[in-house]
Amino acid sequence: MKSIDVVPSWYWPDGVPRYQSPPRSTVYKTAIERWARRTPDNVALVRNGIQIDYRTLDERVKRASARMRQAAGGRGNDGRSMRVAVAATQGIEGAVAILGALHAGADTLLVDPATPDAELRLVLVAFGCELLVAENTAGRRDAWNTASVQEISLPVAADRDNPELLSTDRSQAGRLGFRWGDAVVLQPNAALLGWSLAFRAFAMLDKGELFTVFRPFSTWEGVIGLLAPLAVGATSILHSGSLGEVL
């Protein structure tokens, strides 16, 4: 087994073709929709023995996107971005929430679920957050109460009886935000897709292969580790422990 972090800009192994530029597409269309169409029964995500295929991932991402747009009063439907925070552990539901926010065209801040309540409140207000998606929002509401933020508890899902909300055509190019000290760095869809495909080339991942993600979703490495296998139709294994536990 080989353990690698996100590839440094100065290093590229001999014999591995360099990746040039991302396609003119979205993360959703490249990493989810095309594999849901081509290889729907292939496994996309695995966590603690539970797995979902690309067909199921596609449906759940579109339902999560629709639910977020509903909660934000339709924003995202007309091209106006909404501001969302996702505080999720490294599980399937957390991955679906992040991918759903990208599909909805949201500016999404990824935060560590262990962030203290007082700090979380300051972060949400500073980011201008309209919607918080987390495992258990009800249990934390009193501690960081702010009237401007709505909450959705995982799993995120819209009504199955409204097919219009689940339309692929509603897919937009959202951005993901990462905390950098007191600032938030928003990475556009093209950067996320480009880095994912570059990392895939570096790791020499192919369709149907397995890739284990150890870093949390609140980090750049965790997100790229999630997206890189999906971009080529491989499988992301979401591991909550340390690398030492596997080695």
Side-chain angles (χ1 to χ4, degrees):
M1 177 181 290
K2 179 175 68 172
S3 173
I4 52 179
D5 211 329
V6 171
V7 56
S9 59
W10 49 264
Y11 176 76
W12 203 271
D14 293 336
V16 177
R18 285 184 177 272
Y19 178 73
Q20 298 299 320
S21 62
R24 294 183 179 276
S25 182
T26 64
V27 167
Y28 166 75
K29 289 183 178 295
T30 299
I32 304 174
E33 183 195 32
R34 69 166 172 161
W35 301 117
R37 185 176 63 251
R38 296 180 185 178
T39 56
D41 297 323
N42 283 13
V43 176
L45 301 176
V46 177
R47 169 65 182 261
N48 294 338
I50 299 173
Q51 61 185 40
I52 63 172
D53 57 32
Y54 275 94
R55 179 192 294 107
T56 304
L57 177 62
D58 183 39
E59 178 186 346
R60 290 173 69 171
V61 165
K62 286 188 288 188
R63 291 178 64 201
S65 171
R67 177 69 182 91
M68 292 179 194
R69 293 195 304 270
Q70 286 176 329
R75 295 189 65 176
N77 293 341
D78 57 4
R80 296 180 300 154
S81 64
M82 52 185 170
R83 293 223 151 186
V84 176
V86 175
T89 54
Q90 200 168 335
I92 290 176
E93 297 300 344
V96 167
I98 293 170
L99 295 169
L102 283 172
H103 182 284
D107 283 347
T108 304
L109 174 63
L110 303 180
V111 296
D112 186 341
T115 302
D117 293 323
E119 180 182 348
L120 179 60
R121 183 182 188 282
L122 292 175
V123 169
L124 296 179
V125 171
F127 185 63
C129 182
E130 302 166 270
L131 185 66
L132 172 66
V133 180
E135 268 91 353
N136 182 15
T137 58
R140 305 184 69 176
R141 176 66 179 175
D142 292 340
W144 51 263
N145 181 55
T146 171
S148 63
V149 179
Q150 297 187 63
E151 315 90 36
I152 299 179
S153 292
L154 295 175
V156 185
D159 190 345
R160 289 176 179 269
D161 297 331
N162 192 340
E164 181 186 1
L165 288 174
L166 309 184
S167 170
T168 298
D169 294 337
R170 289 180 178 270
S171 172
Q172 299 189 47
R175 300 186 295 178
L176 293 184
F178 301 84
R179 296 183 65 187
W180 186 266
D182 294 331
V184 172
V185 178
L186 282 167
Q187 295 289 349
N189 195 91
L192 295 168
L193 191 55
W195 268 96
S196 298
L197 291 172
F199 184 69
R200 170 264 164 188
F202 175 77
M204 292 180 284
L205 280 170
D206 288 319
K207 183 171 65 176
E209 293 187 337
L210 308 177
F211 185 81
T212 302
V213 185
F214 293 92
R215 299 299 300 273
F217 287 154
S218 57
T219 67
W220 171 256
E221 296 89 347
V223 169
I224 298 303
L226 166 67
L227 296 180
L230 298 180
V232 294
T235 301
S236 285
I237 301 176
L238 310 177
H239 195 276
S240 58
S242 65
L243 179 62
E245 294 176 16
V246 176
L247 297 178

